[in-house]
Amino acid sequence: RMLVPSASFTGPARIKALGSTTSVAMGLRRPRSGLRPSIVPCFVAFATISSLLSLSMAFKEEEFRYCKDSSFCRRQRKFDGQDDRATYKLHNAHLEDNGVVAEMKNALNPNQPLKLRATIYKSGIFRIEIDEASSAKPRYRVKDVLVGDISQHSVKGDLSLEEGVAKYRSGDHELTLQLDPLPFLARLTYKGEVLFVMNSRNLMKWEVRRDKVSLFHLDGILSYFGLRKSSEGAMEDITGENDGLWEESFKGHSDSKPNGPESIGVDFDFMGAKHVYGLPERGSRLMLGNTRGEGAARDEPYRLYNLDVFEYEVTADRAHQPLYGAVPILYSHRPNFSSALFWLNAAETMVDVEDGPDMKRTHWFSESGVIDVFLLSSDTPKGVQMQFASLVGTQFMPPMFSLGYHQCRWNYKDDADVRMVDSKFDEYDIPYDVLWLDIEHTVGKRYLTWDKHLFPDPEGLQHDLASRGRKMVTIIDPHLKVDMGYSVYAEAKRLGFFCKNKDGGDFEGHCWPGTSSWLDYLNPEVRDYWASRFLPANYVGSTEHLYTWNDMNEPSVFNGPEITMPKDLLHYGNVEHRDVHNLYGFYMTMATVAGHKLLRPGRRPFILSRAFFAGSQRYAAVWTGDNGARWDHLASATPMLLQLSLGGIHFCGADVGGFFGNPEPELLVRWYQAAAYTPFFRGHAHIDTQRREPWLFGDVVMGQIRAAIRARYLVLPYLYTLFHMAHTQGLPIMRPLWMEFPGDEVTIAMDDEFMLGEALLVKPVVSANTRSSNVYLPSDKDDIWYPFRNGQTPKEQGVFTSLWSRFRGQTGSLRGQAQAGGKTISVDSGVEQGIPVFQRGGTIIPTRERARRSTSAMRADPFTLHVALNVREEASGSLYLDDGDTDEHTAGGFFLFGLKFQSNQLEYRQTEGSGFKFSHPPPALERVIVYGITKQPARVTLKRKNGGGSELEFIYDKESAMLIVRKPNVPMNEEWSISFAK
C-alpha cells in the first residue's frame, strides 16, 4: 500500500517519501534479462517518473535556514562590541579547586553576573567555562560527551596578579586574563608563543535567560536585563535586531521560545594561522575558507546543526551548509605548533572565519547553553589529536569483519535476491563481508520486524551467510510508526518514552512509515528499553550474525522545520530540544551499542550512524550520507573524510559510486579504487537507480572492481593495526598530509591526497579519462617514497618490472626507483592501472596476499612484510593481532609486535599484550619484500626465539634495489629476527 505523504510535507523530504514508494506501489520490478512487451508501457512510465523524481530530488536550498532566517545569528553577527554597556569585565580572580575563578559583569546586566572558571589538565589542555553565577532557570550543560571524570586530571597551576592581569601558569602553558577596568580578554601562550586570544574584538554577547510573562508586565525588570520597551511595547536588543526575540517562524513552523533570547557568543583569534580546518560535517574543502571579508565564497557563517540534507552540493558557496553530524572543533597548524578549539555545546552553533593580521579570526555563537571551551596545543598535530581523544574518547575497536567490503542497496528485495547477490560474489571471486538490508525488509517500515512474505526465514538466511564467514546489517531508524498493534511503539507509548511537544503530549511527525513518534534517548530508562529490543525474544528473526544501521537520526522529520524536530520540543528533565539537538543521534547509537552488548555479551558491536557529535566514535562508524554519482562528489569524499577524521570520527567512509544517480563505469571503478583505502568501505545506491553489482558491467570493469576490492583485503593487517592505534591513542586512520609532515608547508593547503596511517600515501583519481596523475610526495627531512603494489601478487622476477613501470620520465637516481620527497612527480594512473599509492621510506607494512571470499576465510593466512628502507637503510612498523571479535583485547588478550629493520637485521619483538588463543594454527610469515636495499646480501638467515633458525631463499634485483625473501614460515605469534649478511 502506497504511503501518501501529508500535504504539509515540503521540498526534498516529500519527494524522498514519494520516491521510496513509487516503484513498489506501481508493482514494478526490474527484470533480470530483457523486457517482455507487456511490461514496456509500465517500464516507460517508471522511467519517466524516475527522471522527474531525479530532477525534483536535487538539493533545495530554500528548505534550510540562512543567518537571515535565524534571529540569534542576526543579533550575534550584528553585535560589534562597540557599546561599552555590553562590555564584560573580570573581577576578583582567585584560585579555587585546582582552577582560577572570576566574576564577570557588564553595565547591561549589573545584577546578573557571570562566573568564569579556567582549568588546566595534565595533558596541557586549558578549559574556560562561563555560565550565569546563579539563575532560576539553569542553562543546559552537555553531558556524557566527555569521558570519565575529567576533573580528576586537573592540575593546580600558579596564579599571579599584576598590573591588571591574572596569569595562570603550568609547565609550558600560560593563560593571561585581563582584569577590570579593562575589557575581558584571555590569551593562551604555549612555549612563549601566543596561540589563542579570546575576546580580542570584544564580541562576547550573553543573552540572559528570563521569563517572558514577567518582562511584559513588570517594566522595572526591563532595565535589570538591559532591555527596554519601544513605543509599541516590543522588546529590544542592544543591536536593534528585535525580530524573533520571543518567537520566530520559518516555512510556516513556529518556535515558541519559552525562555526568550538566550544565545551566547565570543570571538577567538588563532594567532599566526594562515588556515583553519574542521567543523564537520560539510561538503567542503578540508581547509575552511573565509565566511566574511576577503575571499569569502558567501557571507554566511559555518553552521553546526544536524540535518537530513538531500543530495547535498559540494561547491564552495555551499560550505556553510551543515550536514548530518556536528563536531564543534577547529584546528590550525603551522610549523612547530598545532592547536585546536573545542566548543562543547550541542545547540545550533555558528562559526565565522575571516583573516586578520597574521592570524585567523573566528567568532563562535550558539543559540543556547553555556560557553565551555577547550583550548588544545602541542608541538605536533598528532599531539593535539591525542589531547582531543583524552577528552571525548577514542575510536571503538571494531570487529574484523567490519573492515571488509560491505554490499548495500535500497533495497535487496527478498530472500532470493540476497542469496543471488551473495552467490555471485563467490562465482566471480570477489571478496565481501557484509550484506545490508534497507527499510523495505520490514513490515510497513516498522523497525525490528521482518516482512515474512519477502524474508520467510531471516534466521536461516543469516546462518547461511555466516556459514561463509559473512554478516548481515539491517536498518533501524529512530521514528516509530504510530500503531498500537506494533509492540515496539505500543510499549514505549505505555511507558511515556517519547519526545514531548511543548504542551506535554507525545510528539508526532511524519517519516517513512507515515505518522511516527521518536524515542527520547536522553532518558537513561529509554536507552535501556531500546537496548532490550535487540534481544532475540523481542527482535524476532535476529541472530548473533545481525548488526545495525542507525539512519535518519539527526533526527529527520519530513514535516518538521528544516526536515527535523521543532526546537521547543521537550526531553527528559524538561530539557528543550534546542539545547540538545546535535546529541540526538549520539544518544541513539549509545543505546544501540548497549543493545548489541545484551545480544552478544563479550563481543564487539558494529553500528553505522548517519548523525553524530563529538564522542560518537566510541559507539559507531559514520558515512557521508546521500552523495551523488558525480565526479565532484568523488573528489569531495577525500576532504570530507579527512574533516571527519580530524573530528575524532575515524571509522568513516562515503558510499561507493554515489547514492543518487547511475555512475558511468569509469566513475564507479575510480570510486572503488579510492574507497579501498578509506576506513569504511561500502557500496550503496538509491532504490530508483540501476543495479550496480560489479558483475553487471562486463568482464573488464568487473575485473577492475575486483582488483580494487582485493587491494583492500591485502592491506587489512595494516589497517587493523591502525584501528588499534586509533583505539588506544586517538590517532586518525586517514590523515591529512600535514599531520605526518608538519614541517612541509606545501601540504598545509592540500586535500586531494591523504595518508593512511604513517606509511601509505594515496592519491585518488577524480576526473574522467585520466591517464597520468601529478602526485606530490611530501617530506620533512630526507623522506623517500616507493610505489605500493595495489594488490598485485608478486611473480618472482616479474614483480620488479611491474612495480616501477608506472613512472613517467623518472630516473633511478636513488635506491632503485625510489623517489625523493618534497617534489611532484607524474605517475601513470589509467583506470586499468589503478590510483597512485606510495609507501613511505622507513616504514614496514604487513599484508595478507591470498585472495579469499571474506575476512573470516583469511584467519590462518600467512603474512607478507613490505620493508621500505629510508636513506639510513632503516625501517619500522607494527602488527596487531587479536581474535577479531571479542572484548578480550581490553584485558590484554592481544599481541602487539614491533618490527624494526636496522643494521641489516629485521627484528620482530612483542611490545604489548598477553596474547590470545588462536582458533586455528598461528599464521606464519610467508614473504619479506625489502625495497631500497642497495647491495645483494651474501645470505639471509632466520633466527627464532627458541634458538632454532635456518638459511632462507631470496632473490635480488639490483636495478630496482629490491629483495624478496621466500618462505620464512615462522609463526607470527613468536619473536624472531632475519639477518642480511653482507
Side-chain angles (χ1 to χ4, degrees):
R1 184 165 63 88
M2 182 175 178
L3 166 66
V4 179
S6 164
S8 62
F9 279 25
T10 56
R14 181 170 183 265
I15 296 299
K16 192 173 184 181
L18 286 168
S20 69
T21 57
T22 299
S23 57
V24 176
M26 295 181 66
L28 298 175
R29 292 286 186 267
R30 287 190 178 89
R32 295 192 181 182
S33 62
L35 285 174
R36 295 191 306 273
S38 60
I39 69 167
V40 168
C42 272
F43 183 82
V44 172
F46 169 72
T48 302
I49 290 171
S50 293
S51 297
L52 290 172
L53 288 171
S54 296
L55 290 171
S56 303
M57 287 190 295
F59 174 78
K60 294 184 177 177
E61 61 180 331
E62 67 273 12
E63 291 293 327
F64 303 102
R65 287 187 296 137
Y66 290 84
C67 187
K68 65 181 177 60
D69 304 309
S70 174
S71 64
F72 90 90
C73 182
R74 295 194 305 269
R75 293 193 303 274
Q76 288 283 349
R77 274 192 129 201
K78 192 171 182 179
F79 182 67
D80 60 9
Q82 298 303 304
D83 192 323
D84 289 342
R85 295 174 301 157
T87 297
Y88 277 97
K89 299 177 181 180
L90 280 184
H91 307 265
N92 190 29
H94 62 282
L95 288 174
E96 182 180 297
D97 298 329
N98 274 10
V100 174
V101 173
E103 185 179 68
M104 303 183 74
K105 289 183 180 180
N106 68 9
L108 279 180
N109 303 303
N111 299 314
Q112 185 62 59
L114 306 179
K115 181 180 179 179
L116 177 145
R117 178 178 182 84
T119 310
I120 188 167
Y121 299 101
K122 292 177 183 177
S123 58
I125 301 169
F126 260 103
R127 182 183 193 180
I128 298 177
E129 302 167 86
I130 301 176
D131 197 358
E132 291 161 13
S134 63
S135 175
K137 291 187 173 185
R139 290 174 174 256
Y140 180 78
R141 298 179 68 91
V142 171
K143 301 175 177 61
D144 301 311
V145 169
L146 302 178
V147 290
D149 181 3
I150 67 167
S151 66
Q152 299 298 315
H153 303 290
S154 64
V155 296
K156 186 176 181 179
D158 298 318
L159 177 66
S160 63
L161 302 174
E162 52 189 54
E163 299 180 0
V165 297
K167 292 184 177 181
Y168 190 46
R169 301 185 187 88
S170 179
D172 291 327
H173 294 81
E174 179 179 275
L175 182 70
T176 300
L177 300 171
Q178 195 164 267
L179 305 177
D180 182 55
L182 297 173
F184 162 63
L185 181 142
R187 183 181 293 108
L188 177 65
T189 302
Y190 174 60
K191 292 186 175 179
E193 191 83 9
V194 179
L195 298 184
F196 295 101
V197 179
M198 178 181 185
N199 206 41
S200 69
R201 291 179 285 163
N202 201 28
L203 297 184
M204 181 168 164
K205 187 179 194 300
W206 187 284
E207 297 176 338
V208 178
R209 296 183 92 178
R210 50 222 184 235
D211 183 77
K212 182 176 184 178
V213 175
S214 64
L215 276 173
F216 273 109
H217 289 84
L218 300 175
D219 292 348
I221 297 181
L222 296 181
S223 60
Y224 180 84
F225 292 113
L227 296 167
R228 57 188 175 84
K229 282 188 178 180
S230 68
S231 57
E232 292 80 19
M235 313 307 290
E236 291 190 357
D237 184 74
I238 192 170
T239 64
E241 184 61 56
N242 301 316
D243 290 342
L245 287 171
W246 292 97
E247 185 173 352
E248 64 182 317
S249 297
F250 179 73
K251 292 288 183 181
H253 299 279
S254 180
D255 178 5
S256 62
K257 292 193 174 182
N259 294 309
E262 53 179 320
S263 71
I264 48 101
V266 69
D267 59 286
F268 285 89
D269 296 334
F270 286 72
M271 304 303 294
K274 296 179 181 178
H275 309 292
V276 288
Y277 317 83
L279 302 182
E281 182 181 30
R282 59 197 67 256
S284 72
R285 295 282 308 275
L286 176 63
M287 181 182 70
L288 295 176
N290 290 344
T291 64
R292 306 191 90 163
E294 186 177 354
R298 193 172 201 150
D299 188 7
E300 192 70 29
Y302 294 112
R303 187 178 176 212
L304 293 156
Y305 193 66
N306 296 0
L307 291 171
D308 179 357
V309 182
F310 202 67
E311 203 168 2
Y312 53 86
E313 293 292 343
V314 294
T315 55
D317 65 331
R318 301 303 314 172
H320 69 279
Q321 173 68 50
L323 297 180
Y324 311 96
V327 182
I329 187 167
L330 195 62
Y331 289 85
S332 89
H333 170 71
R334 51 191 166 117
N336 304 318
F337 295 104
S338 290
S339 59
L341 186 157
F342 174 43
W343 177 273
L344 184 55
N345 190 305
E348 181 179 359
T349 296
M350 311 272 196
V351 184
D352 268 317
V353 177
E354 59 186 299
D355 290 328
D358 195 27
M359 69 179 75
K360 277 289 184 179
R361 287 186 151 161
T362 66
H363 182 200
W364 298 68
F365 42 100
S366 297
E367 186 179 15
S368 60
V370 302
I371 294 176
D372 192 356
V373 176
F374 295 82
L375 301 177
L376 289 61
S377 54
S378 180
D379 299 332
T380 66
K382 289 182 181 178
V384 172
Q385 278 282 301
M386 294 171 72
Q387 286 180 330
F388 185 49
S390 74
L391 294 174
V392 300
T394 61
Q395 169 64 51
F396 75 93
M397 188 65 196
M400 173 63 86
F401 78 82
S402 65
L403 303 193
Y405 174 63
H406 300 246
Q407 182 67 30
C408 184
R409 178 175 178 80
W410 178 23
N411 204 85
Y412 288 118
K413 61 187 180 183
D414 55 24
D415 183 283
D417 199 10
V418 168
R419 292 178 189 273
M420 183 275 292
V421 170
D422 176 67
S423 69
K424 289 291 186 182
F425 272 93
D426 285 340
E427 179 182 344
Y428 293 108
D429 294 323
I430 304 172
Y432 93 102
D433 265 78
V434 192
L435 197 140
W436 293 53
L437 294 179
D438 212 313
I439 56 179
E440 312 301 334
H441 81 280
T442 62
V443 179
K445 302 174 182 64
R446 295 167 178 85
Y447 303 107
L448 300 154
T449 69
W450 293 83
D451 185 331
K452 289 304 183 72
H453 296 289
L454 302 177
F455 296 92
D457 182 14
E459 296 102 323
L461 179 60
Q462 293 163 55
H463 286 304
D464 182 54
L465 291 173
S467 71
R468 289 177 295 284
R470 291 167 178 149
K471 312 295 182 184
M472 178 172 275
V473 168
T474 52
I475 194 168
I476 300 176
D477 293 349
H479 47 268
L480 300 183
K481 183 176 177 63
V482 174
D483 175 5
M484 292 305 291
Y486 172 32
S487 63
V488 182
Y489 169 84
E491 183 68 4
K493 177 77 171 176
R494 184 184 68 80
L495 294 169
F497 281 168
F498 291 117
C499 298
K500 309 299 181 185
N501 59 42
K502 62 182 179 182
D503 300 316
D506 288 347
F507 170 69
E508 293 183 357
H510 289 275
C511 210
W512 296 128
T515 304
S516 306
S517 287
W518 280 257
L519 287 172
D520 182 5
Y521 293 106
L522 270 73
N523 185 341
E525 291 184 20
V526 174
R527 297 199 294 272
D528 290 343
Y529 168 75
W530 183 248
S532 72
R533 298 302 91 191
F534 288 85
L535 293 170
N538 294 323
Y539 190 0
V540 176
S542 66
T543 72
E544 63 176 321
H545 309 298
L546 189 65
Y547 295 81
T548 303
W549 173 14
N550 287 156
D551 196 2
M552 311 294 285
N553 53 345
E554 294 75 28
S556 178
V557 181
F558 288 167
N559 62 333
E562 298 191 278
I563 320 171
T564 192
M565 280 184 174
K567 290 181 175 180
D568 54 3
L569 294 191
L570 295 174
H571 290 273
Y572 174 71
N574 211 36
V575 174
E576 268 199 295
H577 185 70
R578 84 179 69 250
D579 292 320
V580 296
H581 174 83
N582 289 339
L583 285 172
Y584 189 87
F586 171 90
Y587 278 116
M588 183 187 188
T589 54
M590 179 192 293
T592 302
V593 165
H596 278 220
K597 290 184 176 180
L598 284 179
L599 173 64
R600 288 178 291 266
R603 294 173 61 192
R604 298 176 214 172
F606 171 74
I607 291 101
L608 180 72
S609 177
R610 192 168 71 174
F612 57 87
F613 191 69
S616 285
Q617 66 269 15
R618 309 199 302 262
Y619 307 112
V622 165
W623 90 108
T624 60
D626 295 348
N627 59 355
R630 295 162 29 184
W631 287 101
D632 62 339
H633 274 245
L634 171 57
S636 184
T638 294
M640 289 181 72
L641 296 178
L642 290 172
Q643 188 188 90
L644 288 170
S645 298
L646 289 178
I649 310 296
H650 298 154
F651 199 177
C652 57
D655 283 341
V656 174
F659 178 64
F660 288 109
N662 298 306
E664 60 197 87
E666 184 185 4
L667 172 59
L668 184 62
V669 171
R670 289 305 197 183
W671 214 313
Y672 271 102
Q673 290 173 344
Y677 295 97
T678 62
F680 179 59
F681 186 24
R682 182 183 76 156
H684 185 37
H686 189 276
I687 195 170
D688 289 325
T689 62
Q690 298 169 7
R691 293 289 285 256
R692 61 170 84 151
E693 288 78 22
W695 49 88
L696 298 177
F697 294 85
D699 290 345
V700 172
V701 171
M702 180 183 67
Q704 293 165 348
I705 293 174
R706 178 171 52 217
I709 295 176
R710 284 183 175 176
R712 166 57 162 234
Y713 282 77
L714 180 142
V715 299
L716 280 178
Y718 174 63
L719 185 61
Y720 196 58
T721 301
L722 291 179
F723 268 92
H724 169 72
M725 300 303 177
H727 176 63
T728 56
Q729 300 176 27
L731 293 176
I733 295 155
M734 191 171 170
R735 305 172 185 174
L737 299 189
W738 50 260
M739 182 166 288
E740 283 298 323
F741 302 91
D744 187 342
E745 295 195 54
V746 175
T747 67
I748 290 177
M750 293 185 68
D751 59 7
D752 59 347
E753 303 176 13
F754 65 89
M755 294 295 297
L756 187 64
E758 65 178 9
L760 285 181
L761 181 148
V762 182
K763 172 68 180 279
V765 173
V766 297
S767 58
N769 304 313
T770 298
R771 301 303 305 168
S772 66
S773 299
N774 291 326
V775 181
Y776 179 72
L777 301 176
S779 179
D780 265 345
K781 185 179 180 181
D782 297 330
D783 279 285
I784 58 175
W785 296 87
Y786 302 85
F788 193 64
R789 291 188 298 105
N790 284 351
Q792 302 170 54
T793 301
K795 298 290 193 296
E796 303 303 344
Q797 292 288 352
V799 72
F800 301 120
T801 301
S802 66
L803 275 169
W804 313 120
S805 62
R806 298 176 65 195
F807 290 109
R808 296 167 59 98
Q810 307 297 325
T811 60
S813 57
L814 294 171
R815 300 171 177 276
Q817 290 288 341
Q819 300 296 315
K823 67 177 184 178
T824 298
I825 64 171
S826 179
V827 181
D828 286 343
S829 54
V831 69
E832 71 282 358
Q833 295 159 308
I835 62 174
V837 181
F838 284 83
Q839 183 175 354
R840 182 182 184 179
T843 65
I844 301 175
I845 293 178
T847 62
R848 276 176 158 161
E849 314 215 350
R850 298 185 180 182
R852 301 293 190 186
R853 62 160 47 120
S854 65
T855 56
S856 176
M858 299 171 65
R859 289 175 184 166
D861 280 358
F863 289 88
T864 292
L865 298 177
H866 296 258
V867 181
L869 302 183
N870 60 20
V871 294
R872 293 174 294 281
E873 296 196 344
E874 297 174 346
S876 62
S878 300
L879 176 63
Y880 174 80
L881 300 170
D882 66 17
D883 62 24
D885 183 62
T886 74
D887 291 333
E888 290 185 11
H889 66 100
T890 61
F894 65 90
F895 291 105
L896 181 64
F897 286 94
L899 287 152
K900 187 175 184 179
F901 188 102
Q902 189 176 38
S903 302
N904 295 304
Q905 180 167 283
L906 175 63
E907 291 188 343
Y908 184 70
R909 299 285 182 257
Q910 186 174 350
T911 59
E912 290 182 38
S914 55
F916 68 99
K917 185 177 180 179
F918 288 89
S919 59
H920 47 76
L925 179 63
E926 180 177 42
R927 184 186 298 110
V928 177
I929 306 175
V930 184
Y931 307 91
I933 187 165
T934 54
K935 293 182 180 180
Q936 178 173 332
R939 62 184 176 277
V940 177
T941 307
L942 169 69
K943 183 178 181 181
R944 300 178 64 167
K945 186 178 181 180
N946 61 13
S950 60
E951 192 165 318
L952 301 175
E953 297 179 28
F954 68 92
I955 56 175
Y956 177 74
D957 183 80
K958 183 176 182 180
E959 182 180 357
S960 59
M962 179 174 161
L963 179 144
I964 298 178
V965 180
R966 302 180 66 246
K967 298 180 180 179
N969 292 333
V970 59
M972 293 297 277
N973 64 337
E974 67 174 59
E975 297 181 344
W976 47 261
S977 63
I978 296 177
S979 299
F980 299 79
K982 292 183 177 180

